[in-house]
Amino acid sequence: MSATSPTLSVLMPHYNDPEGVELSLRSVASQTFAGTREIIIYDDGSSPEHVEALHRVTAEALDPVRVILGAANRGRPYARNVLLDAATGAYSAWLDAGDEWYPEKTALQLDAVYRARHKQFDRPVWVTCNYDWQWEGGKPRRRKQAVDGDQLTNLVVGSLAAYLWTTFAPTEHYRMVGYFDLDLPRLQDLDFFLRFVEKGGMFMLPGTHDPLCVYHKSDVGRDGEQVLRCFEYIFQKHAPVMARHSRRFRRNRELHMYMHAARFTQNNGDRLKTAAFLARGAAANPIGFARRMWKTKGVL
Amino acid sequence: MNITVVTGMREFFFPHRIHADALVEGLRVDGAASPPRIPRAPWHSSNAGDAYHDFIFDPVGDTVDLFARYLLETASPNEAQLVLLPFDPLFGEAPNQSADARRLAAVLEHLAPSGVHVSLRPLAWTTSAADRLRAMGREAFGPLTSQHTPPPDPLGPGLPSALDECFARNYTYWAAYLGAALHLQGKTEDLRTPATRTANAFEQAGLKISPELGRDDIVQRVAEVFPRLFA
C-alpha cells in the first residue's frame, strides 16, 4: 500500500445508461468497507446527451469518480481492458452500470481474501458471492455460486456463473489472466473466468451465504445470433476443457447454447429466429430438448 | 487517520466478559457521533455479543504482519481505529505476546502511509477512551458502595470484601487497581493474580501510594506515572 494508491478500485463500464450509473454509485457509497477507494468509469462511446448526463451523475456522487471517455463504442471487452489498466488499487471489484452491490459486499469479500492468506493459499484467488437475479419488474431470485468440485466444469455448466460483478480480488489476480478477448462482444467474462482457472486460479466464497449483489436482468437489445457465435467461439477456444467431458455433456452444452440464443430472440420479439434456434437445439440434442421443454413447460 | 493499539484488554474482561455493545459504547470518545472502529482479524472465530472474541486480537507470530496489513487496508481516512490486544507489556506477562504487541505497532508504523498516526497505549491510559472505560468501571462499581456502610474507602477496612465483590461482579479492572493499592500497603496476601501483577508493575514503576491517599488521588498518581513509561 503506497501513500497514494487506494485499497480498492471500483471498475465500472458504461454505455448510454447514466441512470444505471446513478443506481450503481449509490450502492458503492453504501458499502460498509471503510478503506480508501477509487471509482473509475469507462464510457464506451455513449451519445453526447448520455455523456452529459453521466457527468451530471458523477458530479453529484458521494465519492469522487474518475471518468475515462472512449472516443467510439468498442464493446464491453475493450471497456474492461481499459478499466483493468487504469486500476491503481491493491484490490479491484467490478460493477456494471445498472447493477447494485449490497452494503457488506466488498468488506466481506476482503475478509475472505485475508482468510485465504491466513490459511496460506498459494493460488490466486477471486472471491465471488451469491447474488440476486432480478428481471425487470420481477422479484429478486437468489442464485448460489457453486465453488466446490471442478470449477472449470462449474463454469461451463453455469452453476458457477461467470459474472464479473460478483467478484473481488487483488488487482494482480485479475491482471495475471491477461486481457479480455476483444473477439467476444458477449460472454467475454466466461472466457476470462475459464482462463483464470486454467492458469491455476480458484474461486472462493465469503463467510456468508447471503446474496451480496443484485443483477438487474434484461435481454432487451441482446442479439441471439451474437451470443450463439460467442458460445461456439468459447467452446472452441477451450476445447481441452470440453474434451474432458462425455459426449452427452457436450450435447447438453450445445442445447444450452441454442436455448440461450432462443431466449434472447424471444425476449426481443423475434419469433421466427426463436423458432429457428429451438429447432437447431432439438436437432442437436432431441432427448435433452424434450426433457427441458417438459420440465420448464415450454418457458425459455 | 489514527490507529491506536490498546494493550492490556484481557485484564478488563477476565475472569468474566462484558458485552460487545458495552465495550464499543465504553470506548466512544466524548462528543463523537460514533464509537471508534474496532477491526477484528477476519480469521478469528467470533461469538456474537462476546466482546473478547469479537474484538480482542491475540497477535501470534506471522499473523501480526497480516493483521497490520488488514488494518491499514480497511482503515477509513476519516475514522479513528482502535486495535485491542489482550496483553500488556507493562505487566511483564506473556513475554512473547507482549513482544508481538510492540511488533504490531512497529509494523503498522512501517507500513502506514504518511498521514496515518500509530500509537501504542496500555489500556487505562489512553486519553478519552480510558475515561470512558473508567466511567464504565465506576458505573459498575456504584451499586457496590451502597451495600457497604460506610462506603468502602480503597484503603479502608472494608476493602477486602469490596475487592471480592468487585471480582465477583466482573470488575476486574477496578479490582486489580484497588488490589494494587492494598498490595502496596502490605495487605494483599491473598490477592488474585491480575491485582498482584498490577501491584508489581506499580512497584517496578516506582509508584508510591501512601495510606492517606483516596481513590481519586491514586488515579491521578498512576496517570502521571504511566505515560512516562511509554513516552
Side-chain angles (χ1 to χ4, degrees):
Chain A
M1 186 182 181
S2 80
T4 52
S5 63
T7 298
L8 174 64
S9 296
V10 179
L11 307 177
M12 195 184 302
H14 167 257
Y15 179 65
N16 283 349
D17 185 15
E19 285 175 5
V21 168
E22 196 173 5
L23 185 72
S24 300
L25 287 177
R26 271 204 301 270
S27 81
V28 175
S30 72
Q31 292 297 296
T32 59
F33 168 76
T36 52
R37 65 186 174 217
E38 65 176 359
I39 301 174
I40 310 174
I41 296 178
Y42 176 73
D43 179 75
D44 189 24
S46 296
S47 68
E49 58 269 28
H50 283 117
V51 170
E52 196 180 319
L54 173 67
H55 284 310
R56 252 196 326 270
V57 166
T58 54
E60 289 167 5
L62 291 172
D63 295 279
V65 181
R66 181 178 156 208
V67 178
I68 304 171
L69 294 177
N73 180 231
R74 300 190 59 177
R76 185 62 64 84
Y78 181 83
R80 294 217 191 291
N81 289 336
V82 173
L83 288 166
L84 196 50
D85 279 344
T88 65
Y91 306 87
S92 289
W94 303 80
L95 181 58
D96 292 349
D99 297 325
E100 293 175 271
W101 290 340
Y102 295 148
E104 290 194 304
K105 179 181 183 284
T106 44
L108 290 175
Q109 289 184 309
L110 178 62
D111 283 1
V113 170
Y114 268 89
R115 276 197 297 276
R117 285 178 179 153
H118 184 247
K119 286 180 183 167
Q120 299 183 324
F121 277 21
D122 55 359
R123 293 170 65 184
V125 164
W126 290 3
V127 183
T128 181
C129 61
N130 295 334
Y131 59 95
D132 281 330
W133 194 0
Q134 187 168 17
W135 285 92
E136 266 183 326
K139 288 182 180 173
R141 280 168 47 206
R142 184 176 296 192
R143 308 288 294 222
K144 288 184 177 173
Q145 292 284 62
V147 296
D148 293 335
D150 178 7
Q151 295 191 340
L152 281 174
T153 302
N154 294 354
L155 284 168
V156 172
V157 300
S159 58
L160 174 56
Y163 290 135
L164 203 57
W165 38 263
T166 65
T167 67
F168 175 107
T171 303
E172 66 193 53
H173 291 181
Y174 289 116
R175 290 195 173 128
M176 62 161 260
V177 181
Y179 282 115
F180 289 83
D181 191 331
L182 296 177
D183 290 331
L184 284 168
R186 295 277 167 208
L187 304 174
Q188 68 278 158
D189 291 355
L190 175 58
D191 168 63
F192 199 70
F193 279 47
L194 288 168
R195 282 157 52 203
F196 171 62
V197 179
E198 284 163 359
K199 286 179 184 242
M202 67 174 288
F203 292 89
M204 59 182 292
L205 287 169
T208 178
H209 294 297
D210 291 339
L212 295 181
C213 48
V214 55
Y215 177 29
H216 295 288
K217 179 90 176 146
S218 167
D219 285 345
V220 175
R222 294 191 171 179
D223 181 344
E225 284 287 358
Q226 190 181 54
V227 82
L228 184 66
R229 278 197 304 274
C230 291
F231 264 125
E232 286 170 340
Y233 177 89
I234 287 174
F235 290 158
Q236 244 175 11
K237 186 172 173 179
H238 299 276
V241 176
M242 300 303 286
R244 294 188 315 176
H245 295 285
S246 65
R247 203 167 153 217
R248 185 178 164 197
F249 177 92
R250 293 197 297 273
R251 274 209 310 264
N252 279 338
R253 289 305 92 210
E254 203 176 349
L255 172 63
H256 170 77
M257 180 174 86
Y258 287 119
M259 299 303 279
H260 209 82
R263 193 193 80 203
F264 276 21
T265 50
Q266 185 190 51
N267 289 343
N268 285 286
D270 192 336
R271 288 183 184 175
L272 201 64
K273 269 192 183 168
T274 305
F277 285 132
L278 290 176
R280 288 167 74 181
N285 185 350
I287 297 171
F289 179 80
R291 273 194 190 138
R292 182 155 175 167
M293 295 309 276
W294 180 78
K295 198 174 166 186
T296 62
K297 298 184 173 59
V299 177
L300 297 181
Chain B
M1 186 194 298
N2 285 310
I3 301 177
T4 305
V5 181
V6 186
T7 61
M9 290 303 289
R10 196 181 64 158
E11 301 298 330
F12 193 74
F13 288 100
F14 285 117
H16 302 285
R17 291 171 179 157
I18 65 169
H19 194 275
D21 293 342
L23 170 75
V24 172
E25 191 52 39
L27 291 169
R28 182 196 291 260
V29 175
D30 288 334
S34 57
R37 202 166 155 266
I38 309 174
R40 184 174 66 83
W43 54 90
H44 261 205
S45 60
S46 167
N47 293 332
D50 173 347
Y52 190 85
H53 283 98
D54 278 356
F55 294 118
I56 310 299
F57 176 64
D58 278 302
V60 181
D62 292 343
T63 64
V64 171
D65 294 32
L66 200 58
F67 190 50
R69 274 184 66 190
Y70 177 78
L71 289 172
L72 291 171
E73 288 185 347
T74 56
S76 160
N78 309 314
E79 265 181 337
Q81 287 202 102
L82 285 179
V83 182
L84 307 181
L85 304 181
F87 300 102
D88 194 329
L90 180 69
F91 294 154
E93 61 182 355
N96 289 341
Q97 285 92 337
S98 296
D100 281 337
R102 287 199 195 89
R103 185 164 157 226
L104 178 64
V107 172
L108 280 171
E109 275 179 343
H110 175 70
L111 292 176
S114 61
V116 177
H117 177 69
V118 179
S119 54
L120 177 65
R121 292 281 182 272
L123 165 66
W125 315 111
T126 56
T127 55
S128 45
D131 291 340
R132 297 295 301 183
L133 284 168
R134 279 201 293 268
M136 286 169 69
R138 273 191 210 107
E139 195 178 312
F141 196 67
L144 191 62
T145 60
S146 68
Q147 292 167 17
H148 296 80
T149 306
D153 184 299
L155 306 172
L159 191 62
S161 62
L163 192 61
D164 281 343
E165 184 74 14
C166 207
F167 272 115
R169 296 167 72 97
N170 309 351
Y171 313 140
T172 53
Y173 172 75
W174 278 103
Y177 171 75
L178 296 171
L182 280 175
H183 178 79
L184 291 172
Q185 294 176 83
K187 297 179 182 176
T188 56
E189 288 173 6
D190 61 346
L191 277 183
R192 300 175 195 201
T193 313
T196 310
R197 275 206 301 273
T198 309
N200 289 340
F202 282 9
E203 274 187 335
Q204 286 164 16
L207 186 64
K208 304 292 182 198
I209 298 179
S210 56
E212 66 271 14
L213 290 177
R215 188 170 66 189
D216 291 344
D217 292 323
I218 296 174
V219 169
Q220 192 181 342
R221 291 282 173 101
V222 174
E224 284 167 6
V225 168
F226 271 61
R228 287 208 303 273
L229 296 176
F230 285 86

